[in-house]
Structures are given as structure tokens and as C-alpha cells.
Amino acid sequence: MMNYGRCIADAETELSRDFVLTDLADIDDPQWDRIVDNRCMRLSGGQLTMQSYYFRGAIADRLIDRTLPDTALEGVAQLAPINATHPGSGPLAENYTFMYRLGECIARTDPAGTRALLDTRIDSGKEVDAIKALSPTIAGCVPEGRSMQIDRVRMRLGLATIYYRLAHALAFESEV
């Protein structure tokens, strides 16, 4: 998943950016045909079946690595909430939307800790350490009275998407 996101983000940077920045995008939509690249899947044919939440997060993770400085969220406290939502309805869409909202709180509360997490390799000991370091922030971002189990992959990919969107919004705001 992460290698595929890396390949797409490198091959189609502008299209990847547009995909990460929209809530409504689904990889089944014909406008995103170019983002599903068989060369990156290392297949001569086939179809991508990854959910757009994971795909978007993997691409965002790579775009952050390639295009954003460590200080990309400097001044994020003054930025209006982006309140991202995942398209669709039902439990998965609700969960993904919750992960985006949780990610926004975490990224705004601890931009440096969030970036430290995103700078780690997925499923590594350093990733686990970075998540542990963010634990107080994560706990503070979970709404009162709600308990939840954190899935590392969902949290990381939601954080990556939101981190990238916040950085883009900050850059856009400074140009206006």
C-alpha cells in the first residue's frame, strides 16, 4: 500500500495532490483513472481494490515526505477547522470521518509530534515510539465519554491526509 502510494505520488504529483485535498474523491470515479496506474501495481492488468481512505493516506504520506518542510504546520492554530469527511454513509465512512477529525485535533495540538510520526517507516519500532510519544495528545483528542481502539494504520493515514490538507490550507492562506 505505502509503496503504491509512493509510486503514484512520485509519478502524478499534481493529480495526487488534488486527490488528497478532496473529500469527495473516490478511486472508482473516472476523473481519477490516471491515478490508478498499473505500472505502480507492477501488473500488466488488474484493478485497484484499496479503499480510498487508505489510498489517499498513503499518497499524502509520500507527498509530505517529498514536498513539505518540517515546519509546514507553523501557525496552524490560527487556521479555521477543515472538518474533513469521508464520502458515503455507514460505519466505515463514520469511522474514517472520525479518524480525520481525530487526526486534525492531533495535528493541531502537536504538529511536531505528528510530523515525527509521519517521518517514520510504517510498522517500525520508531513508528510505535512516535505513537507512544503522541499518546497524551491522542487521549486528549478523543471526545469525552467515547472509548475507542486505535488502529495504527488508520490513525497514521488519517493523520497524513489531514496534515497535508492543513499544510496546503496554511500555504494557500499565506498567499492570499
Side-chain angles (χ1 to χ4, degrees), residues 156-170:
R156 181 192 179 108
L157 297 179
L159 268 171
T161 299
I162 295 306
Y163 188 98
Y164 189 81
R165 288 181 181 186
L166 287 168
H168 182 268
L170 278 168

Side-chain angles (χ1 to χ4, degrees), residues 43-65:
L43 300 172
S44 59
Q47 184 174 358
L48 179 68
T49 58
M50 183 186 314
Q51 293 176 358
S52 59
Y53 176 87
Y54 294 98
F55 189 49
R56 182 174 286 110
I59 291 171
D61 199 291
R62 177 60 174 176
L63 289 172
I64 291 165
D65 185 49

Side-chain angles (χ1 to χ4, degrees), residues 98-130:
F98 177 76
M99 293 309 293
Y100 285 150
R101 303 289 168 85
L102 180 69
E104 183 166 358
C105 177
I106 294 166
R108 284 175 175 278
T109 304
D110 189 350
T114 300
R115 183 58 185 257
L117 169 61
L118 296 174
D119 284 344
T120 66
R121 186 175 176 91
I122 196 164
D123 289 332
S124 68
K126 288 183 179 183
E127 181 191 47
V128 172
D129 292 343

Side-chain angles (χ1 to χ4, degrees), residues 68-88:
L68 297 180
D70 288 346
T71 58
L73 292 192
E74 200 168 277
V76 73
Q78 289 76 32
L79 190 65
I82 57 174
N83 294 319
T85 59
H86 186 78

